């Protein structure tokens, strides 16, 4: 079904809805994004439309802006746009504070709630390191590899990657050598030279980069899943598989946490500049 959702169709749907809905429209790139944002928005004043991809969000917004359609806002994951300095110049487009929405959640106190639910208090104490920082450091290594794959057209496959082949179960550290060997085999790119991949990776690494824009949500959550089975807890893999943790993190993410983000402030500013329209839930 997703392939039948086009930018034109999204834009036309929003145009047609204007006669029934006089409020704001928010376009987002995924179903889970839509469900999460709805927790913080006044859905009587703002209709949320799922475009099913980042590209379709941007294209639909462009169509509506060219038509001078009022009251439409879009939010997408920053991904590598900040690092690449390739942010589109679109007035009504906002980005997440971090690489994606889920890493914003991981940066919040929601992570502590999930650790309390699934982790072992004693094991967490014995771990002796900042867990969020450990996840971020591991995610950053994989994030740079994802970025290198895109930037240099290496076409590596990250979907369904076996993280247990390169993440240490006791320290949660990522072994770069094993990561490269695993991703080559998983991508069926056996002819790639390890050193060439390492050089591509190294050409992007820069201490000035904010690691929260490098690290991807799925990678950090997969590392957390491994940790909760040994280093941080005693769960079996089914109890804390990534899809379960992603859901638990979303449920643990409170409105108060969202209100501390830059994105929340930018939405408030958008409302000030478009004062006929309301997006955020207002407490009276």
């Amino acid at each position: 079904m997703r392939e039948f959702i086009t930018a034109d169709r999204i834009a036309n749907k929003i145009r047609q809805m204007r006669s029934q809905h006089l409020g704001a429209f928010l376009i987002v790139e995924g179903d889970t994004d839509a469900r999460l944002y709805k927790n913080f928005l006044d859905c009587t004043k703002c209709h949320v439309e799922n475009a099913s991809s980042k590209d379709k969000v941007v294209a639909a917004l462009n169509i509506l802006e060219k038509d001078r359609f009022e009251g439409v806002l879009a939010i997408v994951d920053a991904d590598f746009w900040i690092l690449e300095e390739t942010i589109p110049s679109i007035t009504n487009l906002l980005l997440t504070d971090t690489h994606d929405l889920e890493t914003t959640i991981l940066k919040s106190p929601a992570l502590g709630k999930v650790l309390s639910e699934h982790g072992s208090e004693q094991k967490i104490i014995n771990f002796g390191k900042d867990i969020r920082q450990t996840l971020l450091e591991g995610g950053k290594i994989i994030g740079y590899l994802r970025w290198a794959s895109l930037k240099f057209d290496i076409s590596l496959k990250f979907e369904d990657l076996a993280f247990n082949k390169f993440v240490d179960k006791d320290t949660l550290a990522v072994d770069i050598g094993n990561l490269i060997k695993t991703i080559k085999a998983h991508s069926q790119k056996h002819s790639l030279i390890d050193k060439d991949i390492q050089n591509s990776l190294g050409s992007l690494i820069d201490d000035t980069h904010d690691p929260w824009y490098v690290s991807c949500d799925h990678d950090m959550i997969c590392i957390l899943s491994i940790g909760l089975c040994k280093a941080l807890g005693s769960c079996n893999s089914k109890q804390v598989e990534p899809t379960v943790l992603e859901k638990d993190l979303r449920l643990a993410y409170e409105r108060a946490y969202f209100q501390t983000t830059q994105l929340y402030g930018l939405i408030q500013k958008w409302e000030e500049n478009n004062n006929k329209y309301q997006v955020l839930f207002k407490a009276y």
Side-chain angles (χ1 to χ4, degrees), residues 23-208:
F25 290 91
L26 173 65
I27 311 174
V28 298
E29 59 178 289
D31 179 58
T32 56
D33 293 5
R35 284 189 272 119
L36 185 65
Y37 284 126
K38 283 178 182 179
N39 292 332
F40 314 128
L41 310 183
D42 186 335
C43 293
T44 66
K45 305 286 180 64
C46 178
H47 171 81
V48 180
E49 187 66 28
N50 170 19
S52 296
S53 83
K54 185 175 184 176
D55 289 343
K56 290 173 187 176
V57 172
V58 175
L61 183 60
N62 266 319
I63 292 168
L64 292 168
E65 287 200 349
K66 285 177 183 176
D67 288 348
R68 300 183 183 276
F69 186 93
E70 293 186 349
V72 63
L73 175 67
I75 301 173
V76 295
D77 290 340
D79 294 328
F80 295 112
W81 277 359
I82 300 289
L83 301 175
E84 290 275 10
E85 299 181 347
T86 54
I87 304 169
S89 181
I90 305 175
T91 305
N92 298 300
L93 180 69
L94 302 181
L95 307 184
T96 51
D97 285 27
T98 58
H99 186 93
D100 43 54
L101 180 56
E102 285 77 10
T103 47
T104 301
I105 297 173
L106 283 163
K107 195 177 182 181
S108 80
L111 174 60
K113 288 185 174 186
V114 171
L115 286 169
S116 296
E117 179 67 25
H118 295 292
S120 158
E121 184 176 355
Q122 191 57 53
K123 285 190 173 186
I124 289 170
I125 292 170
N126 292 344
F127 187 66
K129 295 183 290 184
D130 184 287
I131 295 169
R132 182 180 285 106
Q133 191 62 31
T134 300
L135 299 176
L136 185 61
E137 287 300 314
K140 182 174 72 171
I141 294 169
I142 306 165
Y144 270 120
L145 186 57
R146 286 181 180 271
W147 187 13
S149 178
L150 290 169
K151 189 174 183 68
F152 303 117
D153 198 25
I154 306 174
S155 301
L156 298 174
K157 180 186 176 186
F158 290 85
E159 187 178 355
D160 299 323
L161 190 61
F163 278 66
N164 59 356
K165 292 184 177 179
F166 53 83
V167 175
D168 187 286
K169 293 178 176 61
D170 296 306
T171 66
L172 304 186
V174 171
D175 184 296
I176 297 178
N178 287 337
L179 168 61
I180 290 173
K181 287 183 175 64
T182 303
I183 197 86
K184 279 174 55 180
H186 184 64
S187 308
Q188 297 186 347
K189 297 272 187 176
H190 304 286
S191 61
L192 291 174
I193 299 170
D194 291 16
K195 189 66 175 175
D196 290 344
I197 298 175
Q198 289 177 341
N199 289 339
S200 296
L201 190 65
S203 70
L204 296 177
I205 294 174
D206 187 327
D207 289 340
T208 65

Side-chain angles (χ1 to χ4, degrees), residues 207-225:
D207 289 340
T208 65
H209 292 153
D210 184 340
W212 285 105
Y213 283 121
V214 181
S215 302
C216 306
D217 65 312
H218 183 72
D219 302 333
M220 292 178 69
I221 290 170
C222 284
I223 297 170
L224 176 60
S225 175

Side-chain angles (χ1 to χ4, degrees), residues 206-269:
D206 187 327
D207 289 340
T208 65
H209 292 153
D210 184 340
W212 285 105
Y213 283 121
V214 181
S215 302
C216 306
D217 65 312
H218 183 72
D219 302 333
M220 292 178 69
I221 290 170
C222 284
I223 297 170
L224 176 60
S225 175
I226 290 171
L228 288 169
C229 292
K230 187 178 181 185
L232 307 174
S234 302
C235 300
N236 64 55
S237 58
K238 284 291 183 184
Q239 289 174 304
V240 290
E241 60 185 11
T243 53
V244 171
L245 293 178
E246 287 166 4
K247 181 180 180 181
D248 288 350
L249 283 161
R250 288 194 298 270
L251 290 172
Y253 191 63
E254 300 177 16
R255 180 180 291 135
Y257 306 157
F258 181 60
Q259 288 172 338
T260 66
T261 63
Q262 294 177 34
L263 176 59
Y264 184 85
L266 291 171
I267 297 172
Q268 287 182 311
K269 186 174 181 180

